[in-house]
Amino acid sequence: MSGGAAVSGGAAGVGAWRMPAEPERHERLWMAFPRGGYTLGDDDASAEAARTAWASVANAAAEFEPVTVVVDPTATRDARRHLSGEITILEAPLDDAWMRDIGPTFVVPSGGFAEGGVEQKLGAVDWTFNGWGAQPWASWEADREIGSFVARAAGACILPSLLVNEGGAIHVDGRGTVLVTETVQLDPGRNPYADRARVEAELARTLGATHVIWLPRGLSRDYEEFGTRGHVDMVAAIPAPGVLLLHSQPDPAHPDHAVMASLRSFLSETVDAEGRPWEIVDLPAPSELRDSAGFVDHNYVNHLVVNGGVLACGFDDPVADARAASVLASVYPGRRVVTLDAREIFARGGGIHCITQQQPAV
């Protein structure tokens, strides 16, 4: 296959489960609500900005599909103040509010049966979570329990995994292809004893992956103090079989201009699980290059697909925001694109995709 050693085909030990592509039908959306800590910031204004940003995503998603938000008991009053009455609230201890990473990855049976021949309807991979590679600033005593908590609440069959992984570190096409990043799954802070073969075998067992594409790295900011060390959902998405939506940084002054040019070249030499070369669709970044902490990682690839719609990141950049909405509408035909201000979420380390996790319909 194209792509050399960075691509795996025909992974052994494919399991009875399949992770559906994000555009497939959802049963509901899961989120967490920010509680006291670094996400809320050091003052009331910052805390309200974070709560408002998270709630705007939940409230917008609730117009398309059912939404459940996990809330730390200390934040329940604030959550009820911000969230629509249509949203279900479940209380559980939390360290943080990045549901894509702390929650489970939902899967469905690849046939009619799973787990010893017993008919199943929904599975949930409970990855091991250790604060994005045991980051010194992170705490995860509560967050490491959220995967199983959400799985039980959803009535899913729990698939425990010893692989340290996060939902933002994988992207699938629902047909066997999975995108990962060498600096995440092979991170010594996450999986010091793993190699590609072991990771691929686990992705086959849990997600039904038959073809793993190993991106060499992620965006520049992801390797700074509060980064994830290369989450793929800041770089690429798969809106349809054989189509790759790719972040683009047009400005040569930004370090990700060279990073994304290199990744685009790499991905253009790979194929999906069915052997098709990718149709690459570029999604240019907004015009802002820096904030007070340095070069930003603002991008539109970190969007969320919902039933009948797409929740797009906005950056108060009318030209770039409109261009991104147009591109998203073209690759998700028939869906309504809703642009939400994502600057407060990105300022805290992620985007709309990072704070959400879809539960597929079965």
Side-chain angles (χ1 to χ4, degrees):
M1 291 189 176
S2 299
V7 180
S8 167
V14 177
W17 300 95
R18 175 185 73 90
M19 181 181 175
E22 195 169 308
E24 296 183 46
R25 190 79 183 167
H26 298 175
E27 178 71 25
R28 74 175 49 246
L29 185 74
W30 290 84
M31 294 182 62
F33 197 78
R35 55 153 295 168
Y38 89 92
T39 297
L40 285 188
D42 298 327
D43 55 65
D44 291 342
S46 177
E48 273 300 283
R51 295 182 189 115
T52 299
W54 259 253
S56 70
V57 175
N59 294 336
E63 297 182 16
F64 295 89
E65 60 191 60
V67 176
T68 297
V69 179
V70 179
V71 180
D72 188 271
T74 63
T76 300
R77 180 178 299 180
D78 289 320
R80 294 193 185 282
R81 180 165 55 88
H82 283 274
L83 295 173
S84 160
E86 300 175 355
I87 292 172
T88 300
I89 291 177
L90 294 181
E91 287 191 341
L94 288 168
D95 293 296
D96 222 313
W98 305 96
M99 182 57 83
R100 179 70 52 175
D101 295 343
I102 65 176
T105 295
F106 287 104
V107 292
V108 298
S110 57
F113 297 84
E115 294 298 302
V118 178
E119 186 174 10
Q120 301 287 350
K121 294 184 178 180
L122 180 68
V125 184
D126 184 14
W127 308 110
T128 299
F129 181 73
N130 75 344
W132 302 278
Q135 302 271 28
W137 48 264
S139 59
W140 58 91
E141 183 175 349
D143 282 353
R144 67 185 179 188
E145 305 297 332
I146 293 302
S148 58
F149 172 83
V150 169
R152 288 192 298 270
C157 171
I158 299 177
L159 283 70
S161 177
L162 293 178
L163 184 70
V164 178
N165 192 35
E166 303 95 34
I170 53 176
H171 237 307
V172 304
D173 65 357
R175 300 187 178 199
T177 311
V178 59
L179 306 177
V180 299
T181 315
E182 293 178 7
T183 55
V184 175
Q185 283 81 9
L186 300 181
D187 175 14
R190 288 176 167 95
N191 300 298
Y193 304 109
D195 55 20
R196 287 186 182 182
R198 291 180 179 181
V199 172
E200 290 170 8
E202 184 65 350
L203 296 176
R205 181 185 76 88
T206 54
L207 306 181
T210 60
H211 183 68
V212 182
I213 298 178
W214 289 89
L215 277 68
R217 60 161 298 154
L219 298 184
S220 298
R221 190 153 186 168
D222 233 356
Y223 298 93
E224 297 178 2
E225 182 181 5
F226 296 107
T228 67
R229 301 174 187 155
H231 270 192
V232 72
D233 69 353
M234 302 289 271
V235 173
I238 306 175
V243 180
L244 195 61
L245 195 58
L246 198 61
H247 173 58
S248 169
Q249 175 50 257
D251 197 319
H254 196 298
D256 285 336
H257 176 77
V259 168
M260 290 311 305
S262 177
L263 288 177
R264 194 185 197 284
S265 177
F266 165 77
L267 288 165
S268 70
E269 297 296 322
T270 67
V271 297
D272 68 8
E274 297 175 4
R276 288 173 298 209
W278 296 104
E279 175 192 345
I280 297 179
V281 178
D282 294 311
L283 195 50
S287 58
E288 185 175 12
L289 298 183
R290 303 180 67 102
D291 62 10
S292 60
F295 286 104
V296 296
D297 54 1
H298 293 174
N299 71 85
Y300 299 103
V301 166
N302 198 272
H303 58 279
L304 173 72
V305 184
V306 289
N307 293 337
V310 178
L311 303 188
C313 297
F315 300 95
D316 194 28
D317 184 333
V319 173
D321 288 355
R323 178 179 59 204
S326 177
V327 172
L328 291 170
S330 71
V331 297
Y332 296 108
R335 296 179 189 264
R336 178 163 60 94
V337 178
V338 177
T339 299
L340 303 171
D341 192 335
R343 289 173 295 172
E344 292 292 343
I345 306 174
F346 270 81
R348 290 160 173 81
I352 289 175
H353 196 256
C354 305
I355 65 173
T356 57
Q357 179 61 273
Q358 71 277 359
Q359 176 186 332
V362 293

